[in-house]
Amino acid sequence: MSRGKPTKRGGKRESARAFAGGPVTIKHIASALGVSHSTVSRALNDHSHISADMKERVRRTAMELGYVAHAGARTLRQAHARLIGMLVPDVMNQLFAVMIKVLAARCARAGYQLVLCVTEDDPEAELRHVEALRESRATGLIVVPTPGVLSKTALLMAAMPVVQFSRSHPAIAAPSVAIDGARGIANAVRHLADLGHRRIAYVGLSTALSNGAARADGFTGALAQRGLKVEPALFHPGGGTIEYARSTTAALLRGARAPTAIVYGSADLTEGGLESLRREDVDVPGHVSIIGFGDPGWFKLMTPGLSTVGLSLSESAEAAISMLLRQIEARETGSPLEPQTSLELEPFLILRETTAPPRAGD
């Protein structure tokens, strides 16, 4: 009997018998098609970089050869490739809430499962979450880093695709996506100065945070541009809680040189400041002008409507997950990854009814 190539009529039976000594594997399919086993693997997993024609050829050959996917291997592979971790300090912050929503939708479309971890800005908690995600064979992380990232945490992150979001930490060797809060705060200060305000106060995040430091710099830089000096009694970049803004605002209003305008450095700080202003029954903008940060829906429903620094929330979230998925895809395919540079999206000033020129004599 001839040992040449099987005829077209009997090809399927002959091909199947060729592997009768053991189970058909991806390598057998690759050999039959003359392609790499990685191409076959990606085709069987419906990878976007494999053409429809190649996917069809691989599936047809797999069926002809009697290939059956190994359930255990598939489960292990999916455990490694289908989890993306998201580390945030809290889930109540509007920016992070939008990020989680966008990330969950993109993960679902790409076949990944989102694992949400809350650090409360505790470096030890951050380490525990990263360790757990690594043990779960998570494919990548999007992280809002704590101010005191531990060296062990940074080392663990260095071994996997990571994108920093909103903040960045020098110990983490990964690109970041953020909104240019410094520019947003500077725009607010310039607007108030152009209205004639000279005693402009700032209630902002701690400068121990990268975004807090940037926003504080934006405030002081804009004052300098308008020929104004920073008054220590009016400059408070010290915390991020509602209570901090509430108490700081009350102290500002009762000070010897009360401000004619206040700029807040986060949505939570804005909320705390507004509570204090309402409690003190302050006329806004008649007595003091206000510019907030972020734009939750209730800002526009206030009376008067709140002027604020608007943020590109969905765009920044989309940019972060896209950046991470590019890292993951490059690692899975073994293709070179183009250098990824950090990205800052531009904010915008939303002017409503809480800003006006200062009263005569102020």
Side-chain angles (χ1 to χ4, degrees):
M1 181 181 289
S2 171
R3 293 182 179 273
K5 293 182 179 179
T7 64
K8 183 177 182 181
R9 183 177 179 179
K12 293 181 182 178
R13 290 193 297 273
E14 289 296 321
S15 295
R17 280 201 298 269
F19 306 116
V24 177
T25 69
I26 284 176
K27 289 185 178 180
H28 292 140
I29 300 170
S31 178
L33 290 171
V35 298
S36 68
H37 71 275
S38 61
T39 295
V40 173
S41 177
R42 291 198 290 270
L44 290 173
N45 285 286
D46 201 27
H47 197 285
S48 60
H49 279 193
I50 303 301
S51 69
D53 178 67
M54 176 57 71
K55 289 176 184 177
E56 177 58 29
R57 288 175 58 200
V58 168
R59 289 167 185 157
R60 185 171 61 248
T61 302
M63 184 173 63
E64 291 174 354
L65 298 181
Y67 171 77
V68 177
H70 189 281
R74 181 173 59 241
T75 300
L76 182 60
R77 181 172 63 251
Q78 288 177 344
H80 176 73
R82 295 306 173 194
L83 297 180
I84 288 178
M86 173 71 187
L87 277 69
V88 297
D90 67 81
V91 294
M92 300 303 292
N93 181 289
Q94 183 205 17
L95 175 60
F96 304 146
V98 172
M99 174 65 192
I100 292 165
K101 181 178 180 180
V102 171
L103 181 59
R106 281 291 301 275
C107 283
R109 291 201 300 272
Y112 290 91
Q113 181 179 349
L114 175 65
V115 179
L116 179 63
C117 304
V118 180
T119 66
E120 296 184 339
D121 271 337
D122 179 355
E124 293 289 346
E126 182 178 55
L127 173 59
R128 290 193 298 271
H129 287 311
V130 173
E131 287 177 330
L133 288 165
R134 290 277 293 166
E135 290 171 5
S136 300
R137 302 171 67 85
T139 306
L141 300 177
I142 293 181
V143 56
V144 183
T146 65
V149 174
L150 302 176
S151 57
K152 186 175 180 181
T153 306
L155 187 63
L156 289 171
M157 289 186 185
M160 62 195 306
V162 173
V163 171
Q164 302 182 81
F165 183 71
S166 183
R167 310 173 187 166
S168 61
H169 194 285
I172 301 175
S176 65
V177 174
I179 296 172
D180 191 350
R183 179 178 294 187
I185 295 295
N187 288 341
V189 171
R190 285 191 286 264
H191 172 71
L192 292 168
D194 291 346
L195 287 175
H197 291 276
R198 296 296 177 263
R199 297 198 307 278
I200 304 171
Y202 177 66
V203 181
L205 299 172
S206 167
T207 54
L209 305 173
S210 62
N211 53 355
R215 292 172 198 179
D217 287 345
F219 179 82
T220 58
L223 285 181
Q225 288 177 355
R226 290 298 187 266
L228 302 174
K229 293 183 179 180
V230 178
E231 296 189 35
L234 303 181
F235 185 56
H236 297 276
T241 66
I242 291 174
E243 176 53 41
Y244 174 79
R246 189 186 296 132
S247 59
T248 302
T249 301
L252 284 168
L253 296 173
R254 296 167 186 165
R257 281 179 54 79
T260 62
I262 305 175
V263 177
Y264 292 97
S266 78
D268 283 349
L269 292 171
T270 304
E271 182 176 344
L274 292 173
E275 287 182 11
S276 184
L277 290 162
R278 176 163 294 185
R279 182 178 299 173
E280 299 290 332
D281 196 25
V282 175
D283 178 15
V284 177
H287 180 69
V288 60
S289 288
I290 300 296
I291 296 183
F293 195 90
D295 194 30
W298 60 271
F299 275 17
K300 65 175 66 72
L301 300 177
M302 290 180 54
T303 303
L306 182 68
S307 296
T308 190
V309 175
L311 309 175
S312 305
L313 299 181
S314 295
E315 292 86 347
S316 63
E318 288 281 0
I321 184 60
S322 295
M323 189 178 288
L324 183 69
L325 290 175
R326 285 197 296 273
Q327 290 186 42
I328 292 171
E329 186 173 321
R331 181 168 295 201
E332 288 180 346
T333 61
S335 58
L337 177 67
E338 294 183 5
Q340 291 185 300
T341 57
S342 294
L343 177 66
E344 278 195 324
L345 281 78
E346 187 171 350
F348 44 93
L349 196 57
I350 302 172
L351 297 177
R352 297 190 178 110
E353 293 85 41
T354 57
T355 57
R359 295 180 303 180
D362 280 344

